[in-house]
């Protein structure tokens, strides 16, 4: 847990969430990443069932498809469930959820690079992996969503 001094001009003690959102860039970054890594995985996970954004089956490497039972389409259902769970983990336990999302993104990167032709998407996912790791690290400063300040 990080202990910090309150911003200049504020009284000693814990700041309200609203005050932190207005004044603390670290707290703002934590919440932006937390919201993003909650919403995006849940929406992507739901879309694995709907296929509105794209046909997700094409993103499954043949060697992965050979490892999992069933079809690529059925595998995408499992992928969708995992992504929804990862988003909920970020919502409830961002410290753990950030690392979970980072690990999941690493798996996606390996899968995409092994297919070939998706290096641009893999590079984007690498940036997301770094952001997920950043969220996990920031979550250590805000274990309950609030920073503890010195008296």
């Amino acid at each position: 847990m990080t202990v910090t001094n309150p911003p200049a001009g504020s009284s000693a003690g814990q700041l309200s969430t609203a005050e932190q959102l207005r004044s603390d860039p670290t707290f703002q970054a934590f919440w932006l990443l937390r919201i993003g890594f909650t919403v995006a995985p849940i929406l992507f996970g739901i879309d694995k069932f709907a296929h509105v954004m794209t046909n997700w089956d094409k993103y499954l490497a043949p060697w992965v498809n050979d490892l999992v039972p069933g079809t690529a389409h059925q595998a995408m259902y499992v992928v969708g469930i995992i992504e929804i769970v990862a988003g909920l983990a970020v919502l409830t336990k961002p410290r753990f959820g950030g690392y979970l999302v980072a690990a999941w993104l690493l798996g996606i990167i390996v899968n995409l690079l092994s297919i070939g032709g998706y290096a641009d998407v893999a590079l984007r996912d690498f940036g997301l992996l770094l952001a997920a790791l950043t969220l996990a690290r920031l979550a250590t400063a805000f274990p309950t969503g609030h920073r503890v300040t010195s008296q």
Side-chain angles (χ1 to χ4, degrees):
M1 184 167 1
T2 301
V3 178
T4 62
N5 293 319
S10 69
S11 60
Q14 188 158 346
L15 297 174
S16 72
T17 301
E19 289 171 318
Q20 283 184 301
L21 283 172
R22 280 193 303 273
S23 64
D24 186 347
T26 308
F27 193 69
Q28 294 163 0
F30 167 72
W31 274 102
L32 286 169
L33 289 168
R34 189 173 184 182
I35 291 166
F37 282 113
T38 295
V39 173
I42 290 171
L43 291 178
F44 284 127
I46 290 169
D47 198 56
K48 297 303 187 287
F49 295 90
H51 289 273
V52 171
M53 288 187 260
T54 190
N55 176 4
W56 294 102
D57 304 354
K58 69 181 179 182
Y59 292 104
L60 189 64
W63 67 270
V64 175
N65 193 32
D66 292 342
L67 289 176
V68 298
T71 66
H73 191 71
Q74 292 166 331
M76 282 300 137
Y77 291 149
V78 174
V79 168
I81 291 167
I82 292 169
E83 289 174 339
I84 292 167
V85 168
L88 293 173
V90 169
L91 176 66
T92 59
K93 301 280 185 191
R95 192 179 194 173
F96 167 75
Y99 288 119
L100 177 63
V101 169
W104 185 247
L105 285 163
L106 181 60
I108 291 171
I109 292 165
V110 169
N111 174 74
L112 290 172
L113 291 175
S114 71
I115 294 173
Y118 293 109
D120 56 333
V121 180
L123 181 59
R124 181 215 50 207
D125 285 352
F126 179 71
L128 290 170
L129 181 150
L130 294 177
L133 291 174
T134 301
L135 169 65
R137 293 297 299 138
L138 283 171
T140 63
F142 308 105
T144 62
H146 304 286
R147 176 177 277 168
V148 176
T149 58
S150 64
Q151 300 283 332

